[in-house]
Amino acid sequence: MVKKYFFLGILLLFAVIGVHGQKATAETPPMGFMTWNYFAENISESQLKEVVDAMVSTGLRDAGYNFIFIDDGWQGGRDAKNNLIPDPKKFPSGMKAFADYVHSKGMKLGIYSNAAELTCAGYTGSYGFEEKDAKTFAQWGIDYLKYDYCHAPSDWKVAIERYEKMAIALQNSGREITFGICEWGDREPWLWGKKAGGQLWRTTADVRDKWKSIEPYKNAKELHRVGAGILDIVNRNAELSSYAGINGWNDADMLVIGLYGKKGPSGDLGGVGCTDTEYRSQMSLWCLMAAPLMITCDVRNMNETTHKILMNHDVIKINQDKLGKQATRIVNSNDWQIFLKPLQNGDIAIGILNTADNKRSFNLKLDELGITNKKTSENLWTKTTSAVKNNQIKITADSHETILLRLSK
Ligand code: GAL
């Protein structure tokens, strides 16, 4: 009798899984390389293989950047049976062969589509073909889908429905596919993204390769027009810390580190490039904010500074910490921003950003931040550890620099 109920239970479980499928997990923020900022639509199988090889040979894959992500521009329309196909000129061996290559190098493959008939760059989207496309992606061996929202109705209800539709299709595709919602924060996806089946959701307009917008703007939506710099994105994303967590991350868009003002999508709207100090700040702040880390510079030809910024294991550890907390911004004054990120082992990561135009110093009083029991402070960029005296730490930061410390007992 007991046995009979046991088997019935198992059958029921399979039935439930069969109907609702398998949701993907993202226990820590996804990391990898995304094609958009550097290559835009000019992508090809041969270049991307070089990128995969560079991710391996430079150590980036082993540092945790294990996704290769093909953004917009890979599509070649649909075949006679309405199956989505890659552009045969760009991917002459087909997407399955490319996915096999990526997997053979110990990496995972991400791809892009859109919740309307056409994508942002005017290629074939998935609207009306969600199940079919999700199955195609699964057959190719895709591990992550970024689902954009150009040319789609602006209201929340339709957006949520369209995202849910693709999420369910992915869950029933037979493959675990991470689902990234990309409607740029316009409909506050941090409120509904996880329920709609996403593991991450973009919170802002596209990042440009600049520190901050020089044109004034009234609200986050206007960043589409003026172009979002690193600081503009921080100012939006930092407010959303309570919505982030394991399997549901605030996506602050790609890393512009190492692009140095290259012409292309991130070079538009004032994207003239940043200083290495500003790039280092982006790395620190994205790690504190538990944001996905998507490299976009040409990893085949990085300079040493870029490589060092991207490869700082101690900083990456802050991003990938298993507690899965996004830092809270506890100070936001004219010149300083201070971020606190609790870590799994009881340590605290603290980021101090100098937003002023000159070098500045001050005494960080830990009591005032509610921190009383930390004895050592490790600077994760200079790699120096010092004892905390009188519960205070002297901070000196260059303009736009983020000092990143790990405080331990
Ligand atoms: C935008 C998106 C970018 C990129 C681009 C491709 O909507 O935010 O990250 O994917 O579309 O056309």
Side-chain angles (χ1 to χ4, degrees):
M1 195 63 173
V2 174
K3 222 174 174 183
K4 190 173 148 200
Y5 282 118
F6 176 75
F7 281 118
L8 273 175
I10 297 278
L11 276 179
L12 199 66
L13 189 70
F14 275 121
V16 170
I17 291 173
V19 172
H20 296 294
Q22 197 76 53
K23 235 190 205 168
T25 54
E27 281 170 16
T28 57
M31 294 171 66
F33 172 89
M34 250 184 198
T35 53
W36 189 246
N37 286 348
Y38 186 77
F39 292 108
E41 296 158 56
N42 309 313
I43 40 178
S44 75
E45 169 186 313
S46 54
Q47 285 156 340
L48 291 182
K49 279 187 173 170
E50 288 173 14
V51 170
V52 175
D53 294 349
M55 293 296 286
V56 177
S57 64
T58 55
L60 286 166
R61 177 200 62 187
D62 292 345
Y65 298 93
N66 62 350
F67 272 105
I68 288 287
F69 182 87
I70 309 173
D71 211 296
D72 207 354
W74 62 269
Q75 309 87 331
R78 295 187 182 275
D79 68 11
K81 290 186 175 153
N82 277 330
N83 293 311
L84 204 49
I85 49 167
D87 181 331
K89 284 205 196 80
K90 295 177 180 173
F91 291 89
S93 316
M95 203 51 90
K96 166 105 179 59
F98 183 66
D100 288 347
Y101 186 78
V102 171
H103 293 146
S104 78
K105 299 287 173 176
M107 298 189 75
K108 298 197 255 179
L109 183 60
I111 213 164
Y112 166 101
S113 195
N114 190 88
E117 275 150 33
L118 292 180
T119 68
C120 296
Y123 294 84
T124 308
S126 288
Y127 180 63
F129 294 94
E130 291 83 354
E131 280 94 20
K132 206 174 191 36
D133 291 357
K135 289 225 164 70
T136 302
F137 297 147
Q139 275 157 17
W140 287 343
I142 300 295
D143 304 292
Y144 170 6
L145 175 70
K146 167 177 170 182
Y147 205 41
D148 215 339
Y149 203 68
C150 281
H151 316 297
S154 62
D155 66 286
W156 286 43
K157 193 168 165 280
V158 176
I160 296 171
E161 276 166 15
R162 290 192 183 193
Y163 278 104
E164 267 172 356
K165 183 127 206 246
M166 184 48 104
I168 291 168
L170 292 174
Q171 287 160 28
N172 290 326
S173 70
R175 188 171 175 89
E176 186 178 319
I177 300 179
T178 303
F179 189 40
I181 293 173
C182 178
E183 58 74 75
W184 326 286
D186 288 356
R187 282 149 289 260
E188 305 185 12
W190 43 90
L191 299 175
W192 49 264
K194 196 166 182 181
K195 200 160 164 276
Q199 284 77 52
L200 59 156
W201 42 82
R202 280 272 301 279
T203 56
T204 68
D206 293 4
V207 66
R208 308 293 164 175
D209 187 10
K210 62 181 183 181
W211 177 245
K212 67 175 178 191
S213 172
I214 44 173
E215 249 191 87
Y217 56 95
K218 286 197 240 64
N219 55 50
K221 274 193 191 166
E222 285 193 12
L223 286 172
H224 289 294
R225 177 177 59 81
V226 299
I230 292 171
L231 188 61
D232 305 305
I233 291 195
V234 168
N235 283 336
R236 170 75 155 169
N237 203 66
E239 297 298 326
L240 306 172
S241 56
S242 61
Y243 301 102
I246 293 170
N247 292 324
W249 308 101
N250 287 321
D251 178 354
D253 205 9
M254 307 168 221
L255 299 173
V256 289
I257 298 163
L259 281 164
Y260 298 109
K262 186 201 173 277
K263 292 283 160 255
S266 61
D268 291 344
L269 298 176
V272 291
C274 298
T275 64
D276 285 329
T277 302
E278 291 166 343
Y279 286 143
R280 207 172 291 115
S281 265
Q282 190 189 27
M283 186 72 185
S284 300
L285 294 162
W286 264 233
C287 288
L288 284 159
M289 295 193 299
L293 299 179
M294 291 293 163
I295 300 170
T296 58
C297 68
D298 187 357
V299 290
R300 300 166 302 176
N301 297 302
M302 274 177 293
N303 68 21
E304 214 184 303
T305 308
T306 301
H307 187 240
K308 264 200 176 146
I309 296 173
L310 296 171
M311 287 285 292
N312 187 324
H313 292 281
D314 294 324
V315 177
I316 293 173
K317 264 196 214 155
I318 304 297
N319 180 263
Q320 296 288 302
D321 187 78
K322 295 272 187 296
L323 197 60
K325 293 270 186 230
Q326 175 174 331
T328 36
R329 183 167 62 177
I330 49 168
V331 171
N332 182 17
S333 71
N334 278 344
D335 296 338
W336 297 103
Q337 297 197 6
I338 302 182
F339 298 81
L340 283 192
K341 184 181 198 293
L343 303 172
Q344 196 188 33
N345 72 348
D347 288 359
I348 295 177
I350 177 159
I352 305 106
L353 163 65
N354 173 10
T355 55
D357 290 334
N358 54 331
K359 190 172 187 158
R360 299 179 74 89
S361 300
F362 79 109
N363 241 354
L364 181 68
K365 295 183 178 149
L366 296 179
D367 289 328
E368 289 177 6
L369 309 180
I371 301 172
T372 50
N373 61 347
K374 299 295 182 246
K375 301 276 183 319
T376 60
S377 158
E378 184 188 0
N379 182 316
L380 302 184
W381 288 110
T382 61
K383 309 280 178 190
T384 46
T385 303
S386 43
V388 175
K389 287 189 202 121
N390 304 324
N391 222 23
Q392 297 189 11
I393 301 171
K394 172 103 194 284
I395 300 292
T396 301
D398 279 329
S399 168
H400 305 172
E401 184 180 6
T402 303
I403 304 292
L404 184 56
L405 308 172
R406 184 173 183 132
L407 305 181
S408 313
K409 263 194 181 162

